[in-house]
């Protein structure tokens, strides 16, 4: 891993807030819901296109929310803490388990620019031709395209809910001109929504976009503020490899000390130092097998 400087620090106070009329409106008319989803996406687009945000970190954190939602649809009990353990505490040769597989699929899907190749990496059991066909199923506005992709996948493969939601978000992101997939739909949909079709599914997707865009904008402000704190204290770190460690924290929801480019003891000391400087948080509350994140 080569050393590099963190990206320029963004000022969280300059990130535009979602208008109150978007967050407080309670509408049922399909045209009004579609209008609100367009307004919410327009505001989120401004955030997504800012070059000074820790975009990889934001996407990774949103992928955790999406994975939680998918597991909830399947009736599984795992939540953020269990998902982090399942992925970040893996040792060579270990299997992540069903819940870890879901989280890994989302993380892989958001890690690289949207493409069939990147989505094949997230779902190695699916054929590239099938993924390309599903992605091309949508027409019309971005949300309508996403809903069409989701409906097509779930019609042809009813058990492929995770793939359907990932591909729907991929179609949405591509339609909006975003380079990377930004997870939005899963966390805003309800389990019953996945059984809908046609206009009912499109309406559910519009509602999901409103809720998730609002949360995505809030989360962007939060990670920008936390990243700014980490960048502020980074020059105080003297450990060899600290710069690369900081870059890892700026791009990942959670980091195990063993994953840092430092000897084990030095990595633990660096994590403790960053906690003392209020630059990162210990996420597990445990004395051992700890995970850290901004």
């Amino acid at each position: 891993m080569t050393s590099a400087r963190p990206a320029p620090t963004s000022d969280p106070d300059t990130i535009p807030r979602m208008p109150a009329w978007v967050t407080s409106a309670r509408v049922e008319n399909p045209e009004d819901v579609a209008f609100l989803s367009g307004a919410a996406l327009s505001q989120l687009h401004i955030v997504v296109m800012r070059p000074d945000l820790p975009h990889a970190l934001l996407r990774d954190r949103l992928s955790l929310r999406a994975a939680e939602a998918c597991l909830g649809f399947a009736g599984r009990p795992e939540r953020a803490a269990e998902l982090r353990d399942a992925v970040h505490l893996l040792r060579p040769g270990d299997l992540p388990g069903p819940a870890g597989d879901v989280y890994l699929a989302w993380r892989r899907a958001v890690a690289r620019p949207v493409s069939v190749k990147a989505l094949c990496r997230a779902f190695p059991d699916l054929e590239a031709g099938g993924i390309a066909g599903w992605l091309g199923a949508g027409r019309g506005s971005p949300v309508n395209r996403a809903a069409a992709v989701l409906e097509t996948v779930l019609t042809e493969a009813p058990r492929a809910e995770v793939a359907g939601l990932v591909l729907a978000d991929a179609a949405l992101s591509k339609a909006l001109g975003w380079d990377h997939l930004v997870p939005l739909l899963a966390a805003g949909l309800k389990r019953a929504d996945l059984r809908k079709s046609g206009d009912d599914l499109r309406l559910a997707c519009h509602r999901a976009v409103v809720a998730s865009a609002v949360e995505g904008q809030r989360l962007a402000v939060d990670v920008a503020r936390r990243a700014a704190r980490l960048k502020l204290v980074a020059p105080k770190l003297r450990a060899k490899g600290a710069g690369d460690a900081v870059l890892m924290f700026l791009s990942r929801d959670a980091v195990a000390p063993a994953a840092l480019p430092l000897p084990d003891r030095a990595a633990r000391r660096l994590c403790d130092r960053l906690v003392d400087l209020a630059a990162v948080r210990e996420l597990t509350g445990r004395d051992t097998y700890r995970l850290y994140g901004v």
Side-chain angles (χ1 to χ4, degrees), residues 71 76 78 82-83 86-87 90 96-106:
L71 292 168
R76 296 188 63 92
E78 292 90 348
E82 291 86 359
L83 290 174
V87 168
L90 278 178
D101 281 335
V102 171
Y103 184 24
L104 281 173
W106 278 103

Side-chain angles (χ1 to χ4, degrees), residues 59-82:
R59 292 193 304 270
D60 202 30
R61 198 145 283 174
L62 286 171
S63 72
L64 178 64
R65 294 181 67 246
E68 280 189 284
C70 288
L71 292 168
F73 297 151
R76 296 188 63 92
E78 292 90 348
R79 292 299 176 261
E82 291 86 359

Side-chain angles (χ1 to χ4, degrees), residues 139-161:
R139 296 290 185 274
S141 70
V143 177
N144 286 352
R145 291 187 192 186
V149 170
L150 180 58
E151 183 173 354
T152 300
V153 175
L154 294 183
T155 297
E156 298 181 9
R159 298 176 64 87
E161 292 179 345

